[in-house]
Amino acid sequence: MEEACARCVYSGNALSLRRYSLTDRRFPHVYHSTFPDSKMKGVSILISGAIPWDLAGVRTGGAGRYLFVKGTLVGRKITLVTLYAPNSGEIPFLDETLTDLEGFTEEVLVLGGNFNFCLSRSSQTKVKDLLHTHQLLDTWRTLHPTSRDYTFYSIPHDTYSRLDYFFIPHGNLEVLTGAHIDPIMFSDHPRVMRVHLPGAARGEELTGGKRSALLPVTPL
């Protein structure tokens, strides 16, 4: 697997976060938001020390369920968002998140996490309308329009679905070069979803170069 420039971790155990931030020296820049009703869980964004990174701002909200981080990554302004939507009320939660994000985002936006909805279901018209209003594209579906893959396995129902997503605005589509879902192995979610942005992982410009920066979403 290629080296990641950032990791988006959601519903992560605090011990796992400590392992990333203290023993994995590749990611010295750690930003975290904790659920107020569970000090052991939250959402995190970790930035690699191997690439130029200049922090511009951090914002948390949604009762600790979303985290915004923005800065300059290899000379390009980027906003990274990770979230873990509640099991119910996910549409108002997404609306709140996107509304708060409007005044925070600068240039490239990457929004990833567990959204707790399945876009393939016809009942999700309100979610689709909300995404359309904010011109957000499902990165994996955009690059794999006819494929099937899943990020969640329900043991009680023995069913697969896709609840984990990376979204980017339509205007940022030119920076997207790849999107992958790793196999579900030892959890009900895949360990990593990955999107590729040109060049940043090796210190090249985000808008050029042949190598890719990975932004994994990692449930721990």
Side-chain angles (χ1 to χ4, degrees), residues 143-165:
L143 298 180
H144 306 275
T146 62
S147 300
R148 288 187 179 183
D149 209 338
Y150 309 99
T151 69
F152 177 74
Y153 172 65
S154 172
I155 296 176
H157 300 95
D158 190 26
T159 58
Y160 288 87
S161 57
R162 196 157 62 94
L163 306 179
D164 308 79
Y165 299 89

Side-chain angles (χ1 to χ4, degrees), residues 37 41 62 82 90 92 108 123 128 140 165 167 177:
D37 58 345
K41 291 186 176 183
T82 187
E90 63 276 9
V108 176
S123 60
K128 293 176 182 178
W140 187 86
Y165 299 89
F167 295 104
T177 62

Side-chain angles (χ1 to χ4, degrees), residues 35-100:
F35 300 175
D37 58 345
S38 176
K39 294 183 179 180
M40 293 297 290
K41 291 186 176 183
V43 290
S44 306
I45 293 175
L46 300 88
I47 309 293
S48 171
I51 54 174
W53 166 251
D54 185 18
L55 177 67
V58 177
R59 180 179 296 177
T60 64
R65 286 183 171 270
Y66 65 73
L67 170 65
F68 307 163
V69 174
K70 66 180 178 181
T72 302
L73 185 70
V74 199
R76 180 80 179 264
K77 291 182 179 179
I78 187 170
T79 302
L80 304 176
V81 178
T82 187
L83 62 81
Y84 191 92
N87 293 325
S88 61
E90 63 276 9
I91 296 177
F93 170 80
L94 180 61
D95 190 18
E96 174 193 345
T97 303
L98 295 178
T99 300
D100 194 18

